């Protein structure tokens, strides 16, 4: 569903004519009516559903960027895992937490 300026629908909600839910159900009907009126008057309009191929990003570009990001995350996570393992070995001997028993 296209993103619509909801001022017509919101005005009805604010005046108490209908609920937000029923207003959302009416939006497609309002869109069709506005498009019909625009067509009859010869007005050019943009519904927001047209594809703008000039500004679209290609799938291959997105895939390559995601692959690079995944490789960077794998490098970072491998170094942090070894640091976490070292810290956990040091703290395994000491009981911690609110309910831990105190030594002595």
């Amino acid at each position: 569903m296209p993103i619509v300026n909801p001022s017509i629908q919101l005005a009805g909600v604010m005046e108490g004519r209908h609920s937000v839910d029923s207003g959302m159900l009416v939006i497609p009907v309002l869109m069709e009516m506005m498009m019909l009126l625009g067509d009859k008057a010869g007005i050019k309009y943009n519904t927001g559903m047209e594809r703008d191929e000039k500004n679209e990003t290609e799938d291959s570009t997105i895939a390559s960027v995601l692959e690079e990001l995944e490789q960077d995350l794998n490098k970072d996570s491998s170094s942090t895992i070894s640091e976490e393992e070292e810290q956990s070995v040091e703290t395994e001997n000491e009981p911690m937490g609110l309910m831990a028993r105190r030594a002595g």
Side-chain angles (χ1 to χ4, degrees):
M1 179 168 47
I3 298 173
V4 178
N5 184 350
S7 57
I8 296 172
Q9 180 262 337
L10 255 170
V13 173
M14 288 189 294
E15 292 173 5
R17 293 184 182 170
H18 54 79
S19 68
V20 176
D21 297 331
S22 60
M24 293 302 293
L25 292 172
V26 171
I27 286 179
V29 176
L30 290 174
M31 278 293 297
E32 289 290 326
M33 186 170 62
M34 286 191 267
M35 289 167 49
L36 177 67
L37 291 172
D39 289 340
K40 292 279 185 184
I43 298 171
K44 293 184 180 181
Y45 54 86
N46 182 2
T47 62
M49 295 181 62
E50 295 86 7
R51 292 185 68 173
D52 187 10
E53 294 179 9
K54 183 174 35 174
N55 293 331
E56 285 185 8
T57 307
E58 293 184 15
D59 291 340
S60 60
T61 306
I62 294 172
S64 65
V65 169
L66 287 174
E67 187 176 322
E68 290 176 15
L69 180 63
E70 188 174 313
Q71 289 174 357
D72 289 344
L73 287 174
N74 287 339
K75 288 178 186 177
D76 291 342
S77 65
S78 64
S79 64
T80 56
I81 289 174
S82 61
E83 292 172 4
E84 289 175 0
E85 287 175 354
E86 291 175 7
Q87 290 176 356
S88 66
V89 169
E90 294 173 3
T91 58
E92 281 182 12
N93 298 336
E94 303 172 12
M96 297 182 72
L98 182 63
M99 300 300 290
R101 293 182 186 226
R102 295 184 184 182

